[in-house]
Amino acid sequence: MPQEEQDAKQTFLGFDLSTQKLKAILLNSELNVVATAEVKFDSDLPEFRTIGGANPGPNKFEYFVQPVMWVKAMDIVLDRLVMQEADLSTVVAISGSAQQHGSLYWSKHGIAALQNLDADKFLHSQIDDSAFVVNRTPIWMDASTLKQCFEMETAIGGHTEMVQKTGSKCYARFTGPQIRKIYQQRTHAYEDARRISLVSSFLASLFLGKVASIDYADGSGMNLLDIRNKTWSKTCLNACAPDLEDRLGEPVSGFSILGNVSDYFVQRFCFPPTCKVVACTGDNPSALAGMLVDKNWLSISLGTSDTLMMTLDEPPNLEEGHVLCHPTESHEYMGLLCFRNGSLVREAFNKSEADNNWETFNELLDSTPRGNFGNMALHFNEMEIIPKAKGTLRWNKDMNGSSHDAAKGVLKFSSPQIEIRALVEGQMLHHRAIAEDMGFHFGSQTNILVTGGASVNKSILQVIADVFSAPVYTQNESEAALLGAAYRAAYAYHLHHNSNTESIKSYRDYILGQTPNHLKLVCEPNKDSGSIYTPMLQRYRDMAHILESQLTH
Ligand code: ADP
Ligand code: XUL
């Protein structure tokens, strides 16, 4: 077959091993979707008895997954792809995305099993419980390691030191504190662990037939990687557990080709023997890669919680929030902010003020003017992450930072219309202020990309356009992390096949060259938005300060 024809038949395979499901996507050479398949852990693999993809542990705040469940899910998802007539013999590169922070501890037997897979048997009958010395993998939902967080930060000189080195202070869900807990509580198992994988590098390991390297971006979620030098920080490793460096292996760029797919997949699923396995990464960095945005873009995910992602030139030393190595640009960083009080608070107001109907909610929101007659509210129903504050504060137009009733605010606004606008404007002013603190520069070039469940709500999107004074876009394809995995596979393959540096394009140019219309403009800011919301940003800061100080007093 002529080379051009062969190239046109090439496909790229991406996976997303998220909390609740494993999903696969096959893209053709023009990066259009050919096939998708998924396995939902709770319903497709009920024998593991997960709730939302996780098992609660025996002790408070513990959450785990039996890794064999993920292996079994891989068996099934590949079969489902084949059932859809996906031709896996055309796949030239594979990559993946996975929930961040979880850790898997390979036994000597597990590493040997990976290397000697028998194509007549299922994966899960060979990579079973005995492949891991700890068969309950702690995942990101686990919050049982506060003691280890404290110990690690203290050992390296405090949380400011930890932020400067690794981009985040120690968080209970991060991998370093989890590894330390295993080392302390299951010392023999730790000693027997030959290698430690993140969920993303475990995914790559399955295809590679050996333990895969951890990539810089997902490695940034461990409290162990020096994000400026992209090497493991010796001080952090020492603060975590002994002889850790060998167990982690050297971290690599997310575009690294780790090797060819193992013979098992060639024999069993007809993958070509030259099919490349590209380093896998965490779901948040992979989503940023899937959105194809540059540093003028702020992406906001309105899911269960609200999450902001952005590209940064320099890591700020914010005490809270996360800075990761950028998944696609080698000299840049990615800022990640998670806010607990997002959709759940909007849902509570939808229930109490709008009969649990988003259309009614929107009618109420749309019937009030921008700025809400000077009424503003902050609702941190759950303890917010940034700022560390809990509670509600409502201000009317007469209140400000120096008014004597500012700390109490008003008990209730006069109408559901005002309540709802005060809620949504307050949330978005909060998000904007923290994004600025993280180092995002708002200006005339700024664009906002909104994803997640609430991104279907045009009235909320209009408030975002006005508060951020920037046009708001949504994405045609909703699963950004999954797409990001397949795109990275395609780009790593492009890099690998172009020895001539002049024909190498940047990641965004290469992918956008093939899928130019992946975004849709939904709202533009009104002309008066800057003059209305700039002063309100200062009011937000005064109100947040009050709620924060109420917590400490
Ligand atoms: P997850 O974080 O679980 O992936 P999703 O991205 O699926 O969450 O978003 C779920 C949230 O989307 C729900 O909590 C719900 O409040 C919100 N949502 C769904 N539809 C609307 C709507 N029309 N307007 C506002 N919010 C909505
Ligand atoms: C990010 C985080 C989650 C997981 C699961 O820090 O803990 O978003 O990646 O999706």
Side-chain angles (χ1 to χ4, degrees), residues 19 99-101 140 173-174 283-284 322 336 338:
T19 313
Q99 55 172 287
Q100 295 198 253
H101 315 303
W140 68 276
R173 69 186 193 284
F174 272 42
D283 54 3
N284 292 299
H322 313 298
L336 173 66
C338 304

Side-chain angles (χ1 to χ4, degrees), residues 192-252:
D192 287 344
R194 295 298 157 109
R195 291 291 302 271
I196 299 175
S197 290
L198 289 179
V199 186
S200 59
S201 62
F202 152 79
L203 181 60
S205 306
L206 291 181
F207 286 101
L208 199 59
K210 58 184 184 203
V211 178
S213 306
I214 292 173
D215 88 299
Y216 300 138
D218 209 15
S220 313
M222 302 175 79
N223 289 130
L224 297 175
L225 189 82
D226 179 333
I227 57 166
R228 288 175 174 81
N229 299 326
K230 297 186 167 123
T231 52
W232 299 121
S233 153
K234 299 255 188 282
T235 347
C236 296
L237 293 181
N238 290 339
C240 179
D243 304 318
L244 188 50
E245 195 161 3
D246 288 346
R247 288 178 168 82
L248 297 177
E250 223 172 284
V252 298

Side-chain angles (χ1 to χ4, degrees), residues 15-19 21-22 41 70 97-99 199 202-203:
F15 291 93
D16 182 24
L17 178 42
S18 72
T19 313
K21 59 180 191 255
L22 171 64
F41 304 134
W70 292 330
S97 144
Q99 55 172 287
V199 186
F202 152 79
L203 181 60

